[in-house]
Amino acid sequence: MGVSTSRPQPSIAIVTAAYPPVNALPVQGWRDLAEAVRTAGRDPEVRCVVLAAEGRGFNAGVDIKEVQRDPGRTAIIGANRGCYEAFAAVYECEVPVVAAVQGHCLGGGIGLVGNADAIVAADDAYFGLPELDRGALGAATHLARLVPQHLMRTLYYTSRTVTAEELHRHGSVWEVVPRDQLLDAALRLAGEMATKDGALIRMAKAAINGIDPVDVRRSYRFEQGFTFEANLSGLADRVRDGFGSRNGDN
C-alpha cells in the first residue's frame, strides 16, 4: 500500500497509487503522491510521467474516515494541503503527465486528471465530483478542464458522473480501451511523447502552462476556502454524517 515509482524504460516513469479498497488517499498519501510526481519530473532522463493506480478504481478522493476520526481540524487541513500539493505537482511536473484511469475517478481524482496533460481511460472508467454529498467543495476548477462550463455546473450540483466514452466525445480523454489494455495504451502515448528532445519537451510544458487562461492553483485555492468554511461551521460534518449513514464511506 502506498505510492511507488517504476521505470519501464529510461524516458518514462510510472507513478502508481495503491490504497485499497477504493484508493481514497489519506493525508500522507497525497503528500507522497506529490513528491513522487515532482521527483520523477525532475529526473533529466524522464520525458513523460504516467500516473496510474492499482485496484478497481483510479481514485476516490480524500479518505473520509480519516477526516471523521479527527476531533479537531488537523485532518481536513492536511487533506486540503495534500490535495493542493498533489494537483499542483501534476500540473507543474516538468514533463507531460499521462493519466491512466480505470473504474471510478472521483473527487480528488478529478483534480489529478484535470491537471494532467493527457488522459487514457479504460472502458469502465467514470468521472465525477460527489463533493456536495460529502460536505466538501472543490475541484470544479479541474472538472472545467474536462467538460464545457454548463455541463460542469450540472455535474457539480447534482453529483452525477460521466463515462470515459462521454469525455472522449468532448475531447478530454485521448483514448478509451478495454481495461486489460489500459497501461499499454498509456505507455504507447507516453512513448510517443518521450521521443521528443528532453529539453524541448520541458520548454513545451512550461510554455503551454504559461498560456493557460485560468490559474488553476489560485482558482482551486479559492475553492478550498469554502471547503474550510463549511468545516468550521459544522455544516460539512452534518453532510458527511448523513452521507455515511446513507451510503457507507471509504
Side-chain angles (χ1 to χ4, degrees):
M1 185 172 77
V3 176
S4 61
T5 303
S6 58
R7 294 283 287 275
Q9 61 187 68
S11 60
I12 298 175
I14 304 175
V15 174
T16 304
Y19 289 89
V22 295
N23 278 323
L25 271 58
V27 170
Q28 190 59 49
W30 291 107
R31 293 171 178 160
D32 291 346
L33 184 61
E35 180 59 26
V37 171
R38 290 191 188 280
T39 299
R42 285 194 295 262
D43 187 324
E45 287 192 341
V46 171
R47 299 181 186 181
C48 189
V49 172
V50 174
L51 186 60
E54 292 182 0
R56 68 177 189 251
F58 175 78
N59 189 286
V62 169
D63 185 346
I64 295 176
K65 284 185 177 179
E66 184 180 37
V67 173
Q68 290 176 318
R69 284 193 301 265
D70 180 13
R73 302 299 176 190
T74 302
I76 190 63
I77 292 172
N80 269 13
R81 289 178 177 172
C83 286
Y84 181 86
E85 288 302 320
F87 301 169
V90 172
Y91 184 78
E92 295 166 357
C93 183
E94 295 179 25
V95 297
V97 176
V98 175
V101 182
Q102 81 276 11
H104 53 263
C105 180
L106 304 171
I110 296 295
L112 296 173
V113 302
N115 271 358
D117 295 278
I119 304 167
V120 176
D123 53 13
D124 67 347
Y126 59 97
F127 304 74
L129 284 179
E131 309 307 275
L132 295 185
D133 290 339
R134 300 183 179 182
L137 297 164
T141 293
H142 311 93
L143 185 59
R145 295 165 68 83
L146 302 175
V147 296
Q149 180 70 208
H150 285 85
L151 179 55
M152 179 275 286
R153 288 172 179 257
T154 301
L155 292 173
Y156 195 88
Y157 296 147
T158 62
S159 298
R160 290 194 184 195
T161 60
V162 290
T163 66
E165 189 57 49
E166 288 174 299
L167 290 190
H168 179 61
R169 290 199 294 269
H170 284 295
S172 49
V173 166
W174 173 256
E175 185 179 11
V176 180
V177 298
R179 183 168 180 146
D180 61 357
Q181 298 175 25
L182 176 61
L183 188 56
D184 287 342
L187 287 173
R188 186 165 57 246
L189 179 59
E192 187 174 345
M193 296 178 183
T195 63
K196 309 305 179 187
D197 180 85
L200 196 59
I201 197 79
R202 282 171 163 75
M203 287 185 183
K205 177 68 182 273
I208 290 175
N209 280 4
I211 63 171
D212 260 342
V214 174
D215 183 335
V216 295
R217 293 158 298 188
R218 184 166 60 86
S219 179
Y220 177 58
R221 197 62 172 158
F222 179 82
E223 290 186 76
Q224 284 190 311
F226 289 95
T227 296
F228 197 61
E229 180 179 331
N231 276 274
L232 283 178
S233 68
L235 173 60
D237 289 332
R238 293 197 300 273
V239 173
R240 274 196 295 268
D241 289 344
F243 172 79
S245 64
R246 292 192 308 271
N247 303 298
D249 53 28
N250 300 324

